[in-house]
C-alpha cells in the first residue's frame, strides 16, 4: 500500500493541531483526499524527530507546513484554485 498523500502529525491536547485539522479538512475534501492523523506520541521515532514542533503536514511524505498550515501553498501544490 502506498503512503497517504496527506498526513497531519500532531498530539492530543494540541490546540494548533486542532486548528490545522479544521483548516485541512475542507481542502482535502475538495481535492478528493483523506487526511491521515498521526499522533507523534505513539511512535518514539516520530516523537524524537518532531518533539514539540507540531502540527506538521506531510504531503506525499515530505514536510509541507508546520505550526500553521500554509493553505494557499497547499491548494497550489494540490492543483486547486
Amino acid at each position: 500500500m502506498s503512503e497517504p498523500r496527506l498526513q497531519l502529525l500532531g498530539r492530543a491536547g494540541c490546540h494548533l493541531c486542532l486548528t490545522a485539522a479544521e483548516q485541512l479538512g475542507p481542502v482535502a475534501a475538495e481535492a478528493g483526499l483523506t487526511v491521515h492523523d498521526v499522533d507523534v506520541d505513539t511512535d518514539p521515532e516520530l516523537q524524537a524527530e518532531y518533539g514539540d514542533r507540531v502540527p506538521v503536514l506531510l504531503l506525499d511524505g515530505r514536510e509541507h507546513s508546520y505550526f500553521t498550515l500554509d493553505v494557499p501553498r497547499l491548494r497550489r501544490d494540490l492543483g486547486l484554485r
Side-chain angles (χ1 to χ4, degrees):
M1 184 171 170
S2 65
E3 187 172 83
R5 288 210 66 198
L6 293 173
Q7 296 177 74
L8 185 60
L9 309 181
R11 66 173 34 96
C14 167
H15 73 281
L16 290 176
C17 301
L18 180 59
T19 299
E22 290 171 349
Q23 293 175 322
L24 183 56
V27 177
E30 186 178 345
L33 299 172
T34 300
V35 178
H36 296 268
D37 294 311
V38 179
D39 185 338
V40 298
D41 292 330
T42 63
D43 182 323
E45 288 181 27
L46 289 176
Q47 212 287 325
E49 182 173 349
Y50 294 101
D52 292 331
R53 191 174 59 95
V54 290
V56 175
L57 175 64
L58 302 180
L59 173 60
D60 296 327
R62 299 179 72 183
E63 192 171 308
H64 187 274
S65 303
Y66 67 93
F67 291 139
T68 58
L69 188 63
D70 187 341
V71 174
R73 181 172 160 234
L74 178 60
R75 291 182 62 78
R76 183 182 67 241
D77 292 348
L78 292 173
L80 303 173
R81 295 192 177 258

